[in-house]
Amino acid sequence: MYKNFSDIILLIGHVTRLTMLIELASGKAIPAGELAKLAKVSPQTASEHLTKLTNAELISVEKWGKHRYYKIHDEKVINAIKALSILAPPIQSNSLKETTKKESLYYARTCYGHIAGNIGVEITDALVENSYIYDNDEFYILTNNGKKWLENLGLKTTKSKFSKPIPKHIDWTERRYHIAGPIALEIANLFFDYGWIKNSKINRCIKVTDSGKRAFKNYLNINI
């Protein structure tokens, strides 16, 4: 009766395929060769796993020139991985490289475009404390003060999405909530455009710049 459910769990649960899905959770398209390196498998093995994920419609593929780029096209896949990660114990690192990546992931990363990790949670808490968003238990609501704050930063809040609830995502490293959805994506893009955050050399991870530290102090009263 539940075979369809168990099949997808087994598909996702394979360590190589799960690694690929987690690395793709940033929302960016990644070439097959890079995914193979991230999953620590040969290109041939990576191709087999990517084919299974594509056939199951968990990821999509586009061909750009000689390369194939893979991407998670449905946020439901990200949500499923997050739900499973909450049940898992903390990440164990076995080398300096793995420890560095673990610390970077815990500190700040992108998840389907929005900011996650410690910084994502800190930003969300500051938005609540400054009354820019209201915690309605099931979701967040952008307040009038929040709309004014975003407009002062250069965002136009007249679009309908700024009147819709802001999803709450439980952060799998912090075990606390951060904002998600279209508004969170707009905020993240704004921070990138202003140079307050930038992509790290480590996939999915981001860094807060010196100007970003000053801006977060000025605009959100966060000390980073």
Side-chain angles (χ1 to χ4, degrees):
M1 180 177 178
Y2 299 111
K3 187 177 184 302
N4 62 329
F5 187 54
S6 63
D7 285 349
I8 198 70
I9 292 295
L10 290 172
L11 182 68
I12 293 175
H14 189 284
V15 64
T16 298
R17 293 191 288 271
L18 181 59
T19 299
M20 291 175 169
L21 289 173
I22 291 173
E23 296 295 346
L24 288 167
S26 65
K28 295 180 180 179
I30 300 178
E34 186 176 341
L35 285 170
K37 292 178 181 178
L38 290 168
K40 298 179 180 179
V41 295
S42 68
Q44 293 79 9
T45 300
S47 179
E48 293 174 6
H49 288 295
L50 289 168
T51 297
K52 290 181 179 180
L53 291 171
T54 304
N55 290 340
E57 298 184 351
L58 294 177
I59 61 175
S60 58
V61 58
E62 290 186 17
K63 191 173 182 180
W64 296 344
K66 297 181 180 180
H67 302 284
R68 289 179 178 270
Y69 284 75
Y70 293 85
K71 184 178 182 179
I72 293 178
H73 60 275
D74 191 340
E75 194 171 356
K76 291 179 181 177
V77 178
I78 304 294
N79 293 338
I81 295 171
K82 282 187 175 182
L84 291 172
S85 68
I86 299 302
L87 301 175
I91 295 175
Q92 298 295 319
S93 51
N94 300 309
S95 66
L96 179 60
K97 185 176 181 180
E98 288 184 358
T99 298
T100 300
K101 182 170 184 177
K102 173 185 172 181
E103 291 175 349
S104 298
L105 283 169
Y106 276 44
Y107 177 66
R109 63 184 183 277
T110 54
C111 180
Y112 222 68
H114 60 259
I115 304 170
N118 176 260
I119 297 303
V121 171
E122 289 291 328
I123 289 172
T124 298
D125 288 347
L127 291 172
V128 173
E129 290 170 5
N130 285 282
S131 298
Y132 296 151
I133 60 175
Y134 171 71
D135 189 346
N136 195 33
D137 290 335
E138 294 183 1
F139 49 80
Y140 296 110
I141 298 173
L142 183 65
T143 65
N144 288 331
N145 285 338
K147 289 181 179 180
K148 291 177 182 177
W149 178 74
L150 289 176
E151 287 169 358
N152 288 335
L153 288 177
L155 280 181
K156 294 181 179 180
T157 60
T158 54
K159 296 180 181 178
S160 60
K161 63 183 171 184
F162 288 99
S163 299
K164 295 180 180 180
I166 304 173
K168 296 173 70 172
H169 278 191
I170 184 71
D171 194 282
W172 62 269
T173 55
E174 294 295 309
R175 300 300 200 263
R176 291 155 59 200
Y177 288 108
H178 62 250
I179 58 172
I183 294 178
L185 180 60
E186 290 276 2
I187 291 174
N189 288 338
L190 186 72
F191 290 174
F192 273 115
D193 290 343
Y194 283 163
W196 296 352
I197 57 175
K198 65 179 182 179
N199 287 312
S200 166
K201 292 181 180 180
I202 302 174
N203 184 51
R204 295 185 64 201
C205 298
I206 56 179
K207 291 183 177 181
V208 179
T209 64
D210 289 339
S211 62
K213 292 176 181 178
R214 292 191 295 270
F216 290 143
K217 177 61 179 177
N218 291 333
Y219 290 104
L220 288 171
N221 199 28
I222 302 176
N223 291 308
I224 296 176

